Amino acid sequence: MLPIDPDADLGRRAWVPCPGCRDDRGCGPCGDGRNCADHWRYLLGATGGVLHLQCPGCTHLWDHRTGFGAGGRPAHLS
């Protein structure tokens, strides 16, 4: 497991499924597209429409294309 990024801030969070552990599966609020108290991710930064995230549970690091802003189209549309 990786350590939590030293720049991670509890005040900067995002609600995006973690591709590492998918701990949001079976969660009612997450399944409904709502924010829940358990399945948030650290928002480490953003570049255009790409979010840089870390899961506090499994510590997985990844980039998530939102499809908004200067980051271009979402990966599933490219």
Side-chain angles (χ1 to χ4, degrees):
M1 272 179 102
L2 296 169
I4 296 296
D5 188 285
D7 293 327
D9 179 352
L10 189 58
R12 297 186 65 206
R13 297 181 284 175
W15 283 262
V16 176
C18 175
C21 68
R22 288 305 314 257
D23 62 349
D24 63 305
R25 288 184 181 162
C27 174
C30 290
D32 291 339
R34 295 180 286 133
N35 298 349
C36 83
D38 297 320
H39 304 115
W40 53 270
R41 315 303 170 203
Y42 286 111
L43 175 59
L44 301 176
T47 305
V50 179
L51 305 180
H52 310 292
L53 304 163
Q54 185 171 29
C55 178
C58 73
T59 69
H60 181 71
L61 289 165
W62 78 101
D63 292 334
H64 174 77
R65 290 180 176 261
T66 65
F68 296 102
R73 297 169 53 168
H76 71 280
L77 297 177
S78 298

